[in-house]
């Protein structure tokens, strides 16, 4: 087993764990934003939600790139 494989597995599993742990908190923030759209704290929570979505998207793209890189490095 090479280092890239272990790095890829660790990156994906740790990212998934962080995603699952943060999911409940982000759902609570979303419910608060939906319930109180005119509140002052809504913009702060909305920014956190947007950053979370972008972070999860970046993690997913990086995970896919690592898998593709690993397959490319093992085939050649």
């Amino acid at each position: 087993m090479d280092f890239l494989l272990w790095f890829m597995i660790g990156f994906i599993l740790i990212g998934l764990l962080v995603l699952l742990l943060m999911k409940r908190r982000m759902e609570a923030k979303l419910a608060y934003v939906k319930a109180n759209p005119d509140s002052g704290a809504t913009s702060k929570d909305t920014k956190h939600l947007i950053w979370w979505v972008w972070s999860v998207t970046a993690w997913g793209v990086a995970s896919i790139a690592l898998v593709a890189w690993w397959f490319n490095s093992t085939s050649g």
Side-chain angles (χ1 to χ4, degrees):
M1 298 270 187
D2 59 350
F3 175 73
L4 182 60
L5 174 65
W6 287 110
F7 179 76
M8 177 187 66
I9 291 171
F11 182 80
I12 291 171
L13 290 179
I14 291 170
L16 186 61
L17 180 67
V18 169
L19 170 73
L20 292 175
L21 290 174
M22 290 183 68
K23 180 180 176 282
R24 197 170 283 163
R25 186 171 30 161
M26 290 300 143
E27 286 175 342
K29 284 186 181 191
L30 180 61
Y32 177 76
V33 168
K34 281 183 170 181
N36 304 313
D38 297 330
S39 174
T42 301
S43 70
K44 180 182 169 188
D45 287 338
T46 304
K47 286 181 184 179
H48 285 146
L49 287 166
I50 291 170
W51 273 107
W52 186 73
V53 169
W54 276 108
S55 301
V56 169
T57 303
W59 168 76
V61 169
S63 296
I64 292 169
L66 280 172
V67 171
W69 186 20
W70 181 71
F71 275 120
N72 190 31
S73 70
T74 58
S75 66

